[in-house]
Amino acid sequence: MAVPKKKMSQSRRDMRRANHDKRSPPTLVACANCEEATLSHRVCAACGFYKGRQVIAVAKE
């Protein structure tokens, strides 16, 4: 059975465990209709378009 030969320091242990909590920021893409930054594969909140067609009606200010 595999058994560690030496004690792993708290620093090394914590550095190994720290990688599970890393999160990358969401990737934003430009809307094809209005060039507003949106999440990919989602309806644009600014104009309501998705894949080149109007999906939801957005109130104009």
Side-chain angles (χ1 to χ4, degrees), residues 12 14 16 22-23 25-28 33 35 46 50 52 59-60:
R12 277 189 180 275
D14 294 343
R16 185 186 71 241
K22 285 185 181 175
R23 298 260 334 240
T27 306
L28 298 176
N33 186 51
E35 300 299 321
Y50 179 67
K60 302 280 182 180

Side-chain angles (χ1 to χ4, degrees), residues 2-56:
V3 178
K5 250 191 199 323
K6 299 281 185 181
K7 179 179 178 178
M8 183 176 279
S9 70
Q10 290 95 351
S11 174
R12 277 189 180 275
R13 179 200 63 204
D14 294 343
M15 282 191 286
R16 185 186 71 241
R17 291 178 181 174
N19 291 319
H20 296 290
D21 297 330
K22 285 185 181 175
R23 298 260 334 240
S24 57
T27 306
L28 298 176
V29 295
C31 173
N33 186 51
C34 68
E35 300 299 321
E36 187 77 24
T38 62
L39 291 170
S40 60
H41 305 289
R42 289 182 178 61
V43 177
C44 177
C47 65
F49 272 70
Y50 179 67
K51 287 191 175 181
R53 60 191 176 99
Q54 185 82 29
V55 179
I56 58 172

